[in-house]
Amino acid sequence: PILTSRNLSYDNWVHSTGHADLFQLPDGRSYMVCLGIRAEEGEPGMRRSNMGRETYLLPVTWEREPMEWHSLGPEGKRLWPVCAPETGRVERWQPLPFPGATQSLTCNLFHDTFEKEMLDPEWLFRRAPKDGTYTLAPKNLQLNASPEVLAERVACSFMGIRQRQSEFDFSVQMNFKSQNSSVEAGVAIV
């Protein structure tokens, strides 16, 4: 592979890189977009992230091939891509390819008072929600209990929003009244 993080520990900012696409800008510079998992800040050796695999941009340079591979093109013109040539890894902050461009953090600044007739598209479900999973009324969302649980990875009474940063604040206001002691409700990070 031309892109790997096998030589880096899970303490590296981004690990498990792969599934990349190479492209060239009109000025001739080359870049790659790839997938990788962001290590959680302050968690050495963290192998997983609630944010899953994210997309990263890397600069690429081209060097003569490391060995004679005759099938890659005419002799003397075979080149090999070198990803992130300065450090050899995906960094937390990478200079952007366009001068003057800014990079901003995408934060969840989502607030819902349930005053619209339809759910905001920011809301997500585990699988497609079954009929009767929720009821929407002015200033109120009712999430109805179901026998399925989050651990089963099936459609269940779960609604969420996408986590975009490792560190964040959130709040929720809820009323929970159950006539069955085995029914649970609350907040989960999955």
Side-chain angles (χ1 to χ4, degrees), residues 114-120 134-138:
F114 304 106
E115 295 182 37
K116 299 176 186 171
E117 291 184 19
M118 296 181 66
L119 278 178
D120 189 288
Y134 69 93
T135 306
L136 191 59

mmCIF file of all heavy atoms in Angstrom, residues 114-120 134-138:
data_model
loop_
_atom_site.group_PDB
_atom_site.id
_atom_site.type_symbol
_atom_site.label_atom_id
_atom_site.label_comp_id
_atom_site.label_asym_id
_atom_site.label_seq_id
_atom_site.Cartn_x
_atom_site.Cartn_y
_atom_site.Cartn_z
ATOM 1 N N PHE A 114 -38.493 21.693 19.057
ATOM 2 C CA PHE A 114 -39.577 20.881 18.487
ATOM 3 C C PHE A 114 -40.818 21.722 18.177
ATOM 4 O O PHE A 114 -41.934 21.319 18.436
ATOM 5 C CB PHE A 114 -39.915 19.707 19.406
ATOM 6 C CG PHE A 114 -38.726 18.854 19.707
ATOM 7 C CD1 PHE A 114 -38.122 18.895 20.947
ATOM 8 C CD2 PHE A 114 -38.179 18.038 18.734
ATOM 9 C CE1 PHE A 114 -37.002 18.128 21.229
ATOM 10 C CE2 PHE A 114 -37.059 17.265 18.994
ATOM 11 C CZ PHE A 114 -36.471 17.305 20.240
ATOM 12 N N GLU A 115 -40.586 22.883 17.587
ATOM 13 C CA GLU A 115 -41.702 23.757 17.231
ATOM 14 C C GLU A 115 -42.101 23.614 15.766
ATOM 15 O O GLU A 115 -43.109 24.176 15.347
ATOM 16 C CB GLU A 115 -41.357 25.210 17.565
ATOM 17 C CG GLU A 115 -41.190 25.402 19.077
ATOM 18 C CD GLU A 115 -40.903 26.841 19.452
ATOM 19 O OE1 GLU A 115 -41.465 27.736 18.816
ATOM 20 O OE2 GLU A 115 -40.118 27.045 20.386
ATOM 21 N N LYS A 116 -41.336 22.876 14.975
ATOM 22 C CA LYS A 116 -41.658 22.671 13.564
ATOM 23 C C LYS A 116 -42.551 21.448 13.420
ATOM 24 O O LYS A 116 -42.619 20.597 14.303
ATOM 25 C CB LYS A 116 -40.380 22.473 12.751
ATOM 26 C CG LYS A 116 -39.448 23.663 12.802
ATOM 27 C CD LYS A 116 -38.168 23.363 12.054
ATOM 28 C CE LYS A 116 -37.165 24.486 12.205
ATOM 29 N NZ LYS A 116 -35.864 24.132 11.681
ATOM 30 N N GLU A 117 -43.206 21.334 12.280
ATOM 31 C CA GLU A 117 -44.103 20.205 12.032
ATOM 32 C C GLU A 117 -43.342 18.918 11.752
ATOM 33 O O GLU A 117 -43.885 17.829 11.922
ATOM 34 C CB GLU A 117 -45.034 20.515 10.857
ATOM 35 C CG GLU A 117 -46.060 21.593 11.179
ATOM 36 C CD GLU A 117 -47.021 21.814 10.028
ATOM 37 O OE1 GLU A 117 -47.136 20.919 9.153
ATOM 38 O OE2 GLU A 117 -47.654 22.868 10.001
ATOM 39 N N MET A 118 -42.106 19.045 11.291
ATOM 40 C CA MET A 118 -41.282 17.864 10.989
ATOM 41 C C MET A 118 -40.001 17.934 11.807
ATOM 42 O O MET A 118 -39.557 19.014 12.195
ATOM 43 C CB MET A 118 -40.948 17.821 9.499
ATOM 44 C CG MET A 118 -42.162 17.652 8.607
ATOM 45 S SD MET A 118 -41.716 17.583 6.862
ATOM 46 C CE MET A 118 -40.795 16.073 6.797
ATOM 47 N N LEU A 119 -39.395 16.771 12.023
ATOM 48 C CA LEU A 119 -38.113 16.736 12.730
ATOM 49 C C LEU A 119 -37.041 17.436 11.911
ATOM 50 O O LEU A 119 -37.020 17.347 10.680
ATOM 51 C CB LEU A 119 -37.674 15.295 12.972
ATOM 52 C CG LEU A 119 -38.268 14.569 14.162
ATOM 53 C CD1 LEU A 119 -37.758 13.143 14.202
ATOM 54 C CD2 LEU A 119 -37.944 15.277 15.457
ATOM 55 N N ASP A 120 -36.144 18.098 12.593
ATOM 56 C CA ASP A 120 -34.998 18.712 11.943
ATOM 57 C C ASP A 120 -34.140 17.596 11.328
ATOM 58 O O ASP A 120 -33.961 16.535 11.932
ATOM 59 C CB ASP A 120 -34.194 19.494 13.001
ATOM 60 C CG ASP A 120 -33.117 20.334 12.378
ATOM 61 O OD1 ASP A 120 -32.123 19.754 11.902
ATOM 62 O OD2 ASP A 120 -33.275 21.568 12.378
ATOM 63 N N TYR A 134 -41.832 7.584 17.481
ATOM 64 C CA TYR A 134 -41.886 8.895 18.129
ATOM 65 C C TYR A 134 -43.153 9.636 17.702
ATOM 66 O O TYR A 134 -43.778 9.326 16.697
ATOM 67 C CB TYR A 134 -40.648 9.733 17.790
ATOM 68 C CG TYR A 134 -40.580 10.182 16.349
ATOM 69 C CD1 TYR A 134 -41.100 11.424 15.975
ATOM 70 C CD2 TYR A 134 -40.013 9.384 15.363
ATOM 71 C CE1 TYR A 134 -41.051 11.846 14.658
ATOM 72 C CE2 TYR A 134 -39.958 9.789 14.058
ATOM 73 C CZ TYR A 134 -40.476 11.022 13.700
ATOM 74 O OH TYR A 134 -40.434 11.436 12.400
ATOM 75 N N THR A 135 -43.503 10.616 18.520
ATOM 76 C CA THR A 135 -44.612 11.511 18.238
ATOM 77 C C THR A 135 -44.107 12.930 18.411
ATOM 78 O O THR A 135 -43.458 13.245 19.405
ATOM 79 C CB THR A 135 -45.782 11.266 19.223
ATOM 80 O OG1 THR A 135 -46.121 9.888 19.189
ATOM 81 C CG2 THR A 135 -46.988 12.107 18.862
ATOM 82 N N LEU A 136 -44.400 13.761 17.432
ATOM 83 C CA LEU A 136 -43.954 15.141 17.470
ATOM 84 C C LEU A 136 -45.161 16.047 17.686
ATOM 85 O O LEU A 136 -46.162 15.955 16.985
ATOM 86 C CB LEU A 136 -43.267 15.494 16.143
ATOM 87 C CG LEU A 136 -42.514 16.789 16.049
ATOM 88 C CD1 LEU A 136 -41.403 16.867 17.089
ATOM 89 C CD2 LEU A 136 -41.926 16.945 14.654
ATOM 90 N N ALA A 137 -45.081 16.884 18.693
ATOM 91 C CA ALA A 137 -46.137 17.848 19.004
ATOM 92 C C ALA A 137 -45.455 19.179 19.291
ATOM 93 O O ALA A 137 -44.252 19.214 19.561
ATOM 94 C CB ALA A 137 -46.950 17.386 20.211
ATOM 95 N N PRO A 138 -46.187 20.311 19.242
ATOM 96 C CA PRO A 138 -45.540 21.597 19.512
ATOM 97 C C PRO A 138 -44.772 21.588 20.832
ATOM 98 O O PRO A 138 -45.297 21.228 21.873
ATOM 99 C CB PRO A 138 -46.715 22.575 19.557
ATOM 100 C CG PRO A 138 -47.763 21.935 18.711
ATOM 101 C CD PRO A 138 -47.604 20.454 18.929
#
